[in-house]
Amino acid sequence: MLVGKRILLIISGGIAAYKSLDLIRRLRESGAAVRCVLTPAGARFVTPLSVAALSGEKVYTDLFSLTDESEMGHIRLSREADLVVVAPASADIIAKMATGLADDLATTALLATDKPVMIAPAMNHLMWRHPATRQNLATLEGRGILRVGPGEGDLACGETGPGRMAESLEILAAIKTFFRDNSPLKGKRALVTSGPTHEAIDPVRYITNRSSGKQGHAVAAALARLGAETILVTGPTHEPDPPGVKVMRIVSAEDMLAACRTVLPVDVAVCAAAVNDWRVVEPAEQKLKKAGGKPPTLKFAENPDILQSLSNAGDMRSRLVIGFAAETEDIIENAAAKRLKKGCDWIVANDVSPGTGTFGGDKNTVHLVVDGKVESWPTMTKKEVAERLAARISAYLAGAQ
Ligand code: C5P
């Protein structure tokens, strides 16, 4: 149910932090990826080692850590999540969130995030009832922050009353409900092509290109996270299968088209594969041998254009067909012309000229061409491009544009 979902779990100081260890385990059992931030007070209750072992990821603790910041950066940390959960949320972190204080990694990430936030408060009952806390909670509620618990009962301080952090299973249930209610592409089917194709010369040799599949795989992951039933038809890549996505592996352009056809109809098709334009006619059945200084002559035939064929699929045409245009010059003009030629609805144009590092790299600078209008996006990671594109697709299919 939480397959592919990314949770940023912030553990602040409180005896209830031990329950968060169980929460990590349960979230992972449900298929979520959990990245954790420990506040300095949180790290006095549970150790970074336990949190790292349970989450299977590096734990982030220090805003001023050079290594952490160069690896991830607090801004990315706060945005590369689908939901930020603060558990336990102490009176202190709630007050900081309400006033917008950012004096450590956790509070900085909370201020920098553009993702929904859920808190699981835990504190003494008098702290919970204090007018300052009441006011802070009202402020957070007004901002749409979600809350689970606290419950009533015996508190760690020996007193009784409201302030017990919700049990890990209750928090898990609240997280599942959140994702159930926030899957805008639920009920929609998406097809994504990704990676290069291999065109055989003989049984051991082939022609290909430098596509890594990173962008296409990220688009499939982002669509699945928004709840779409996503099918990824991919050529050979080193990218891991995106969670929650049905992956169909193919080798050649002709295989890719055949696989795509079996998937139709879909609501949206995104062609991010770098399909080879040509294939070798009748590849040799046996390995070609050197023959006295006479290199072989290869005869080429043009491959089918998958994007064009999906754009002109008649009754089977998706409501939205999106192509990518990797260009090295006159990017926007060429992309706009390509959109008209292929008959797709949107084109994502990107600069792959030498020196941009786009092919194989993690970043991309794209222009989205919609109905002849061009939107230039700032340079982002391929994952961010994918998320923004998935959000646009979701808005389009919901009829918002
Ligand atoms: O013509 P060009 O290869 O630059 O067009 C790029 C777009 O067309 C991409 O979306 C790519 O996935 C798609 N394409 C395709 N089949 C081909 C060639 C390109 O789907 N044979």
Side-chain angles (χ1 to χ4, degrees), residues 66-139:
L66 256 184
T67 43
D68 287 4
E69 199 59 21
S70 60
E71 249 175 47
M72 170 59 71
H74 60 277
I75 303 289
R76 250 178 76 203
L77 188 62
S78 66
R79 308 229 173 116
E80 274 190 16
D82 302 305
L83 177 68
V84 181
V85 178
V86 189
S90 63
D92 175 63
I93 204 165
I94 288 172
K96 285 176 172 166
M97 287 169 75
T99 47
L101 219 67
D103 64 349
D104 60 13
L105 181 61
T107 46
T108 308
L110 282 162
L111 198 60
T113 193
D114 55 356
K115 295 295 156 61
V117 178
M118 179 183 284
I119 58 171
M123 65 196 74
N124 168 274
H125 65 109
L126 291 182
M127 292 167 89
W128 175 250
R129 289 187 173 118
H130 196 285
T133 306
R134 311 298 334 141
Q135 203 171 346
N136 291 334
L137 281 161
T139 303

Side-chain angles (χ1 to χ4, degrees), residues 271-273 275 277 304-307 323-324 338 342:
C271 292
V275 184
D277 288 327
D305 192 305
I306 296 157
L307 174 61
F324 272 71
K338 197 164 283 182
K342 305 220 179 190

Side-chain angles (χ1 to χ4, degrees), residues 52-398:
L54 286 165
S55 67
E57 290 225 23
K58 187 181 159 111
V59 176
Y60 297 83
T61 48
D62 185 3
L63 179 59
F64 301 107
S65 156
L66 256 184
T67 43
D68 287 4
E69 199 59 21
S70 60
E71 249 175 47
M72 170 59 71
H74 60 277
I75 303 289
R76 250 178 76 203
L77 188 62
S78 66
R79 308 229 173 116
E80 274 190 16
D82 302 305
L83 177 68
V84 181
V85 178
V86 189
S90 63
D92 175 63
I93 204 165
I94 288 172
K96 285 176 172 166
M97 287 169 75
T99 47
L101 219 67
D103 64 349
D104 60 13
L105 181 61
T107 46
T108 308
L110 282 162
L111 198 60
T113 193
D114 55 356
K115 295 295 156 61
V117 178
M118 179 183 284
I119 58 171
M123 65 196 74
N124 168 274
H125 65 109
L126 291 182
M127 292 167 89
W128 175 250
R129 289 187 173 118
H130 196 285
T133 306
R134 311 298 334 141
Q135 203 171 346
N136 291 334
L137 281 161
T139 303
L140 295 187
E141 234 152 70
R143 284 185 209 145
I145 284 182
L146 307 159
R147 172 161 69 83
V148 48
E152 287 217 21
D154 293 340
L155 303 174
C157 52
E159 296 178 352
T160 307
R164 271 175 74 95
M165 185 169 94
E167 300 303 321
S168 53
L169 280 177
E170 284 172 66
I171 303 175
L172 181 72
I175 293 172
K176 285 185 173 171
T177 304
F178 167 80
F179 283 112
R180 197 197 56 215
D181 297 344
N182 288 277
S183 298
L185 288 176
K186 206 177 161 123
K188 300 279 190 286
R189 252 165 86 82
L191 164 65
V192 180
T193 70
S194 182
T197 59
H198 285 187
E199 308 300 332
I201 296 173
D202 67 18
V204 296
R205 302 184 180 95
Y206 55 83
I207 293 171
T208 190
N209 57 58
R210 294 186 197 282
S211 166
S212 62
K214 282 186 179 167
Q215 187 63 77
H217 278 57
V219 170
L223 290 169
R225 266 199 301 278
L226 294 186
E229 179 194 349
T230 307
I231 302 106
L232 174 67
V233 178
T234 178
T237 77
H238 296 294
E239 284 297 294
D241 288 357
V245 169
K246 181 179 170 203
V247 180
M248 295 171 79
R249 281 186 201 77
I250 53 80
V251 175
S252 70
E254 288 184 307
D255 297 345
M256 184 173 268
L257 178 60
C260 288
R261 286 209 169 118
T262 66
V263 171
L264 298 179
V266 293
D267 297 283
V268 56
V270 183
C271 292
V275 184
N276 282 296
D277 288 327
W278 305 283
R279 68 179 175 279
V280 176
V281 178
E282 289 176 11
E285 278 177 22
Q286 304 300 330
K287 185 181 166 195
L288 293 172
K289 298 257 188 303
K290 277 195 265 188
K294 263 191 80 188
T297 305
L298 300 178
K299 213 175 139 209
F300 289 100
E302 199 163 304
N303 266 331
D305 192 305
I306 296 157
L307 174 61
Q308 198 157 15
S309 132
L310 295 180
S311 300
N312 297 284
D315 288 355
M316 295 297 241
R317 192 191 195 278
S318 326
R319 227 175 111 195
L320 187 58
V321 181
I322 304 172
F324 272 71
E327 302 288 347
T328 55
E329 56 182 355
D330 300 330
I331 299 156
I332 294 171
E333 295 75 13
N334 284 337
K338 197 164 283 182
R339 187 180 80 83
L340 295 177
K341 181 174 152 231
K342 305 220 179 190
C344 61
D345 303 299
W346 301 356
I347 278 264
V348 184
N350 54 347
D351 186 352
V352 295
S353 46
T356 57
T358 304
F359 260 133
D362 287 324
K363 293 221 163 145
N364 209 349
T365 311
V366 311
H367 312 270
L368 181 67
V369 184
V370 177
D371 297 334
K373 282 195 253 30
V374 181
E375 251 180 52
S376 294
W377 294 358
T379 300
M380 294 183 247
T381 63
K382 289 181 177 174
K383 286 183 182 166
E384 286 165 340
V385 167
E387 283 192 5
R388 195 156 160 177
L389 186 64
R392 288 292 300 263
I393 292 169
S394 165
Y396 180 87
L397 292 180

